Amino acid sequence: MRISVCMGVYNGEKYIVEQLESIRRQTREPEEVILCDDGSTDETRACVKAYLDSQKGLSGWKFICNAKNKGYPGNFYYVMEQCTGDIVFLADQDDIWETDKIARMCSIMEKQKEIKVLACTFGLIDGQDESIHTVMSPTDRKTGGSIHPVSIQQVFYKCEWPGMVLAYRNEWYQNKIEKIAETGETMVKCGKIPHDFLLCAWAAEEDGFYQLEEVLAYHRRHENNTGGEEHRIGKLLNKERKLKEIEAYNRILEEFTEKNVLQSEKGRNALEAKRSSMRGRYEALQSGRIKNVLKNAWEYRVQVRLATVVCDVLIAWQREKG
């Protein structure tokens, strides 16, 4: 199988070289690596060009610079369409891969043809490469090396698979894109939905999304994460920040509905159930009342994680206490 790696790039000068090195040092080298800068205003372009110039032995590496900013999802959708490999790995500009990430995940996908998208698990690191330990860590107790399917219900329940853990079959993805093109739409127009979220939902709807319980990458949390992820308890318990996060997530779910992204009954049911629970969560959190938070959590208990309930209760408790 031919392997492609694609990376959307934007203002990542501080950490991008370290990530490029972790890709270059893979025990299973990719035949194609495509980087696409989306109008960086720092020294990212210069850093990438200097790195590529310094690695004379590299082949198949390509650096694209957009003339106009496409936005985070739009840039990824664009670079994904440029990939020609059989298996495509998504990469982010500020993370680090284990050296056997490509080899390990490819070996599984070669054997298990039913897998359309495969995810590994990941650890968290800070800006100084130090491990982060938090109650919100997605990889807790997920290091046993087993492989299991992930349902569409679980995708909406957890939403814990960033692009840097994913590998997907390119033929399957391109077929999806062609069907969208037949309707007159493009992936850029569907840009409110993050590329990684869409891949997971599509594959899970077709019973083709699997997870490998093995840490093969490290996600860096810092002040300028494009995805806005957070692990610090002070910001996690900020009501205004949390309401904005829920609003953004609800807009993504709305886009799923408006664009008819999911075609199966089980997919649409899972989506609608999540939309209902998130609307209820927003209203309960906005009220600032613990009883409303707990009432909504109980009503949608199948849709809500315990850590989420605890977080929302603490936010409401701060409001009532104040």
Side-chain angles (χ1 to χ4, degrees):
M1 296 191 300
R2 293 186 72 257
I3 307 303
S4 293
V5 175
C6 70
M7 180 192 299
V9 176
Y10 181 76
N11 286 354
E13 63 177 357
K14 191 171 183 180
Y15 304 110
I16 193 168
V17 170
E18 191 172 0
Q19 167 66 314
L20 295 177
E21 271 289 279
S22 76
I23 295 172
R24 184 184 68 82
R25 292 176 178 176
Q26 290 293 300
T27 57
R28 172 34 169 116
E29 295 181 12
E31 281 75 20
E32 179 179 70
V33 178
I34 303 179
L35 315 172
C36 188
D37 183 85
D38 199 30
S40 292
T41 57
D42 63 1
E43 295 301 312
T44 297
R45 292 188 180 188
C47 289
V48 173
K49 290 177 180 178
Y51 177 80
L52 295 179
D53 287 344
S54 71
Q55 302 296 327
K56 302 298 183 181
L58 289 180
S59 63
W61 287 55
K62 183 179 181 181
F63 186 34
I64 303 170
C65 295
N66 294 333
K68 294 182 179 180
N69 182 274
K70 298 180 183 295
Y72 172 62
N75 189 37
F76 259 102
Y77 287 131
Y78 172 72
V79 71
M80 287 163 68
E81 289 188 24
Q82 313 306 310
C83 294
T84 62
D86 300 303
I87 302 295
V88 178
F89 284 78
L90 301 173
D92 290 332
Q93 63 189 14
D94 41 19
D95 302 319
I96 301 175
W97 291 4
E98 292 284 4
T99 56
D100 63 339
K101 179 176 185 283
I102 291 179
R104 181 79 176 100
M105 294 178 71
C106 279
S107 67
I108 293 170
M109 296 186 77
E110 285 176 341
K111 295 174 184 176
Q112 297 185 223
K113 305 300 183 182
E114 71 276 15
I115 298 178
K116 296 178 173 68
V117 175
L118 178 64
C120 64
T121 53
F122 62 96
L124 296 178
I125 58 174
D126 61 19
Q128 289 70 49
D129 294 350
E130 297 295 330
S131 295
I132 295 173
H133 302 285
T134 168
V135 293
M136 302 301 286
S137 175
T139 56
D140 185 33
R141 298 182 299 278
K142 294 182 179 179
T143 59
S146 63
I147 303 168
H148 62 84
V150 180
S151 69
I152 186 65
Q153 291 82 5
Q154 289 174 306
V155 168
F156 285 116
Y157 174 72
K158 298 179 181 179
C159 191
E160 64 177 17
W161 299 274
M164 47 86 77
V165 305
L166 302 178
Y168 65 89
R169 296 193 189 277
N170 200 19
E171 183 179 9
W172 165 78
Y173 175 74
Q174 296 299 338
N175 286 337
K176 289 282 193 181
I177 300 304
E178 289 178 8
K179 290 181 180 179
I180 289 176
E182 290 173 0
T183 68
E185 294 284 358
T186 67
M187 293 310 300
V188 174
K189 290 181 180 179
C190 298
K192 292 180 183 178
I193 304 176
H195 60 292
D196 40 17
F197 195 177
L198 183 70
L199 282 172
C200 294
W202 266 350
E205 184 183 32
E206 299 178 11
D207 300 321
F209 182 28
Y210 284 70
Q211 177 157 308
L212 166 64
E213 304 287 8
E214 189 173 331
V215 176
L216 295 175
Y218 297 88
H219 183 47
R220 194 187 302 274
R221 294 280 175 89
H222 58 88
E223 292 291 341
N224 299 314
N225 280 123
T226 304
E229 303 95 333
E230 188 53 67
H231 64 279
R232 289 165 291 190
I233 196 68
K235 290 193 174 183
L236 283 172
L237 298 182
N238 181 281
K239 179 181 176 181
E240 287 68 30
R241 176 188 173 89
K242 186 59 62 179
L243 287 173
K244 287 181 180 179
E245 288 179 355
I246 297 173
E247 288 173 357
Y249 188 64
N250 282 337
R251 286 194 293 270
I252 292 172
L253 298 179
E254 183 178 342
E255 187 82 351
F256 266 95
T257 299
E258 290 181 354
K259 299 297 183 181
N260 294 315
V261 172
L262 302 175
Q263 299 299 310
S264 69
E265 183 177 357
K266 68 177 179 180
R268 290 173 173 170
N269 288 343
L271 171 61
E272 186 52 42
K274 188 63 176 181
R275 290 191 68 186
S276 296
S277 71
M278 292 302 292
R279 286 193 294 265
R281 182 188 177 194
Y282 184 87
E283 293 171 1
L285 194 59
Q286 194 174 43
S287 75
R289 303 296 298 275
I290 292 177
K291 69 175 184 179
N292 291 342
V293 170
L294 292 175
K295 180 181 178 181
N296 181 74
W298 177 254
E299 182 177 355
Y300 295 105
R301 54 192 176 278
V302 177
Q303 300 292 329
V304 182
R305 302 171 66 183
L306 177 58
T308 297
V309 178
V310 172
C311 179
D312 288 358
V313 165
L314 289 174
I315 291 174
W317 176 75
Q318 288 180 135
R319 176 68 179 272
E320 290 187 357
K321 182 181 178 182

